[in-house]
Amino acid sequence: MNILITGATSGIGYQLAVDYCQAGHKVYAIGRNKEALTQLTQQGVEAVDLDLTDYKTVKSALSQLPPLQLVILGAGICQYHDYHHFDGQSFANVVNVNLASLGYVLEAIWLKMDSPSQLAMIGSLARYLPFTRSGAYSASKAGIRQLANVLRTDLEPRQVSVHLIEPGFIETPMTKDNDFKMPFLLSVHDASKFITQGLAKKRSHIAFPWQLHLILSGLAKLPMSWQNTICRKLAKRAE
Ligand SMILES: NC(=O)c1ccc[n+]([C@@H]2O[C@H](COP(=O)([O-])OP(=O)(O)OC[C@H]3O[C@@H](n4cnc5c(N)ncnc54)[C@H](OP(=O)(O)O)[C@@H]3O)[C@@H](O)[C@H]2O)c1
């Protein structure tokens, strides 16, 4: 397969790029970190230095790609916003990288998706509950869920299957500074295994670990006022 992975210079995306490459696929890996791009190239991955928030560059760089059988949109950032201070630029930056830039990539690869092919997007289990300080991140991940669901309707006639990937806590640079306990924390190797196996089985929703998914999706069925109270209590406990 020809595979395009964004967010491939670190964490989950990096592991996916290496694993798919070792399995014999042609992998196009996107990110900006030069050191990581060089390491990927040394492992046989086609590394593309690209800022996904730059519309024109995304369009021209991705226009060079051959037909694709699998696309994994995994680039993302997480910034928390304090109750005492709201940083609008940081909010816009998170939404821009995590959600708006997907539009740039989708435009560039729209007609490159083979029939059949797979389009996967990495959201987060965080979108289930109104966790404190996570407004920008959570909103962007809820947006990804809805985008994936809509595109599944749109792209079915073209035989492009759409997959929503929702991880729990994974040990990556994104989570290394988290100042709270991360339940059911998984390694990038576990994450890559869940994702590659889920995509091979053509699962439309790949959520892991199952324990955290069960708890969060169950709590999300409670009235919103209860969810708000639970999240406030969790935040107090973490202080
Ligand atoms: N780790 C977790 O616990 C967890 C849980 C649920 C969901 N997720 C989601 O999983 C995905 C991967 O997370 P991770 O933990 O592996 O994160 P990570 O290690 O911090 O990697 C983030 C990736 O996004 C890329 N990126 C960020 N901004 C970019 C930009 N403007 N242009 C191009 N690339 C950009 C980074 O590349 P450069 O810096 O090289 O540009 C890097 O490759 C994210 O969407 C994240 O929200 C993670």
Side-chain angles (χ1 to χ4, degrees):
M1 287 194 286
N2 290 332
I3 303 175
L4 172 70
I5 302 175
T6 72
T9 46
S10 174
I12 302 171
Y14 186 96
Q15 193 59 46
L16 283 169
V18 170
D19 288 351
Y20 274 119
C21 183
Q22 284 178 356
H25 301 289
K26 180 82 184 166
V27 177
Y28 298 87
I30 292 183
R32 297 164 302 174
N33 182 316
K34 304 242 177 324
E35 206 178 306
L37 290 168
T38 306
Q39 283 168 12
L40 285 165
T41 307
Q42 285 163 354
Q43 299 190 63
V45 170
E46 201 72 40
V48 186
D49 183 351
L50 195 54
D51 182 344
L52 292 167
T53 62
D54 182 341
Y55 172 73
K56 280 194 185 147
T57 324
V58 169
K59 201 165 176 178
S60 71
L62 299 190
S63 70
Q64 321 288 328
L65 298 181
L68 298 164
Q69 288 78 45
L70 172 61
V71 172
I72 302 177
L73 302 177
I77 55 173
C78 180
Q79 281 157 12
Y80 294 112
H81 299 111
D82 204 72
Y83 349 84
H84 307 295
H85 171 73
F86 196 91
D87 182 337
Q89 281 186 325
S90 162
F91 179 92
N93 191 33
V94 171
V95 175
N96 204 16
V97 173
N98 292 5
L99 184 59
S101 79
L102 266 64
Y104 302 165
V105 178
L106 286 171
E107 178 181 328
I109 56 137
W110 199 247
L111 298 177
K112 287 189 181 294
M113 296 298 296
D114 241 349
S115 302
S117 62
Q118 293 178 283
L119 172 63
M121 302 176 193
I122 306 190
S124 170
L125 290 183
R127 61 97 185 160
Y128 273 106
L129 290 187
F131 290 113
T132 180
R133 302 188 298 150
S134 71
Y137 185 74
S138 229
S140 69
K141 294 303 184 182
I144 285 182
R145 172 181 181 269
Q146 192 62 5
L147 177 65
N149 288 340
V150 170
L151 291 182
R152 194 171 300 117
T153 316
D154 285 340
L155 290 171
E156 196 267 343
R158 280 187 44 203
Q159 290 181 269
V160 179
S161 60
V162 179
H163 309 264
L164 175 65
I165 298 164
E166 294 190 309
F169 293 109
I170 314 297
E171 215 172 348
T172 71
M174 184 179 278
T175 51
K176 79 172 174 14
D177 293 329
N178 278 354
D179 54 1
F180 52 85
K181 190 172 180 294
M182 293 182 275
F184 308 107
L185 183 68
L186 294 177
S187 70
V188 284
H189 299 278
D190 292 327
S192 175
K193 209 156 88 185
F194 280 117
I195 293 169
T196 51
Q197 288 178 352
L199 288 174
K201 289 179 183 156
K202 302 212 167 14
R203 293 218 173 102
S204 56
H205 188 203
I206 302 166
F208 55 89
W210 67 266
Q211 298 95 324
L212 193 60
H213 180 225
L214 191 73
I215 293 167
L216 296 182
S217 57
L219 291 173
K221 293 191 174 75
L222 294 172
M224 185 48 73
S225 58
W226 293 25
Q227 295 182 41
N228 291 135
T229 305
I230 290 167
C231 288
R232 256 181 241 120
K233 285 196 168 149
L234 284 173
K236 272 239 152 61
R237 200 188 291 175
E239 272 170 10

